Amino acid sequence: MDRQELADFLRSRRERITPADVGLPAGPRRRTPGLRREEVAQLAYISTEYYTRLEQGRAPRPSLEVLAQVARALRLSDAERDHLHHLAGTPPGLPPGPSREVRQSIVDLLHRLPQAAAIVISATYEVIAWNDLAAALMEDFSALSRRDRNLVRRAFLGPHPEGRRLYGVSDGEEFALSSVQQLRAASARYPDDRELTGLVAELLDGSEEFARLWAAHDVESRPTLCKTFDHPVVGPVAVNCDVLDITDRDQHVVIYTATPGSPSEEALRLLSVVGTQRLDVPG
């Protein structure tokens, strides 16, 4: 364990993050660049005293759990997380939890697909990036909390407005089965991730259907090549569904496209103009 290098690295990562980056008020008389030590400690769920000793090079070797919490609090990239482990004398293994950091090149790709609805989902089915057409076809994800952007939670626990499960998709039952299978596989990859464990517990408690599918212990799912969205404004939209794996982040890019010249292509073109406005609701 290289205590001094670890201390310097933590300090440098802390100083690059602004309070606004993590949803904290800047407040008056902020004399230090970036976050304060007590703010990092709060975000990492550890004591301020212990984190201070880490930055001063006086703390004993941190546990894997502490390293994971500090890495998450400081928003470390995968490479930075690995470096943190090496400095702490604990060679990195699997990431402690599913990555939510989307590469800028992938975000740019989404917005270069104006005729396709595209989203990025994490290993836990949280929508972590999207383009405008995806928001128009599915939902304005920018208006939702992280919790409400999880597609598995929405599929099993709702809301289901007007009885429409998961945006009225035609493959609702197939999606339910596939998502449970992939969530079980993710649970094996990230056994110590508290957020994932909490999600599974919530679904087991709130959905008999999820509990039944979870009890089957299946982990192999079949891809869905096409589906139909029941959109409240433009009606049925039939789309081809292609999934691109981002293996180093354990993420997936899901791209929805309509057959050229079809009514669904016209519907997507209309949605690209309408956006997230609800024309079926009186102004």
Side-chain angles (χ1 to χ4, degrees):
M1 176 179 174
D2 191 331
R3 286 182 170 82
Q4 190 56 53
E5 283 294 324
L6 176 62
D8 293 343
F9 180 66
L10 290 175
R11 189 180 309 109
S12 70
R13 300 305 90 178
R14 171 173 60 84
E15 291 176 350
R16 72 176 181 176
I17 303 175
T18 68
D21 290 336
V22 293
L24 295 175
R29 298 182 180 180
R30 181 173 289 273
R31 294 177 295 178
T32 181
L35 296 179
R36 299 186 176 103
R37 287 171 175 170
E38 58 266 29
E39 291 170 334
V40 174
Q42 178 184 357
L43 292 169
Y45 302 102
I46 60 178
S47 72
T48 300
E49 178 185 1
Y50 180 69
Y51 181 77
T52 299
R53 292 174 63 194
L54 279 174
E55 278 205 9
Q56 293 175 342
R58 299 188 297 110
R61 176 178 294 167
S63 66
L64 290 174
E65 182 179 7
V66 167
L67 289 173
Q69 292 168 178
V70 169
R72 185 177 293 117
L74 293 175
R75 297 191 165 192
L76 300 187
S77 66
D78 291 345
E80 290 171 332
R81 179 187 59 81
D82 289 350
H83 185 59
L84 175 68
H85 276 269
H86 284 300
L87 293 177
T90 307
L94 287 173
S99 174
R100 297 184 62 257
E101 182 182 350
V102 183
R103 284 201 298 269
Q104 186 59 46
S105 60
I106 298 297
V107 174
D108 293 340
L109 171 65
L110 301 190
H111 295 291
R112 290 172 181 155
L113 300 172
Q115 298 180 3
I119 60 176
V120 179
I121 58 175
S122 70
T124 62
Y125 278 85
E126 179 187 343
V127 178
I128 52 179
W130 58 89
N131 64 8
D132 292 341
L133 189 52
L137 177 64
M138 302 171 71
E139 187 162 12
D140 184 3
F141 296 109
S142 66
L144 302 178
S145 65
R146 274 192 58 201
R147 170 186 173 81
D148 293 333
R149 290 200 300 265
N150 188 283
L151 298 182
V152 181
R153 180 182 281 113
R154 185 181 183 96
F156 286 98
L157 303 182
H160 300 148
E162 302 175 0
R164 297 165 61 252
R165 181 180 191 176
L166 199 64
Y167 316 112
V169 293
S170 57
D171 67 330
E173 300 301 319
E174 292 83 355
F175 175 84
L177 175 60
S178 175
S179 65
V180 172
Q181 293 171 341
Q182 295 197 38
L183 200 62
R184 179 171 276 287
S187 296
R189 293 195 299 275
Y190 309 107
D192 299 322
D193 185 65
R194 292 188 296 180
E195 189 171 321
L196 176 54
T197 302
L199 172 64
V200 171
E202 179 185 359
L203 291 166
L204 287 171
D205 183 61
S207 171
E208 293 182 1
E209 179 187 11
F210 180 88
R212 174 176 56 80
L213 295 174
W214 185 261
H217 289 266
D218 293 330
V219 293
E220 185 174 354
S221 60
R222 297 179 180 178
T224 298
L225 301 180
C226 58
K227 66 175 66 183
T228 300
F229 287 86
D230 180 16
H231 195 276
V233 175
V234 299
V237 183
V239 293
N240 301 309
C241 181
D242 293 288
V243 180
L244 308 178
D245 294 337
I246 309 175
T247 54
D248 63 315
R249 301 289 176 91
D250 201 2
Q251 298 168 354
H252 306 283
V253 181
V254 185
I255 304 174
Y256 301 116
T257 56
T259 301
S262 67
S264 292
E265 184 185 38
E266 289 299 319
L268 285 182
R269 185 175 291 113
L270 175 58
L271 283 177
S272 69
V273 175
V274 173
T276 55
Q277 299 178 58
R278 286 291 301 272
L279 299 184
D280 59 330
V281 178

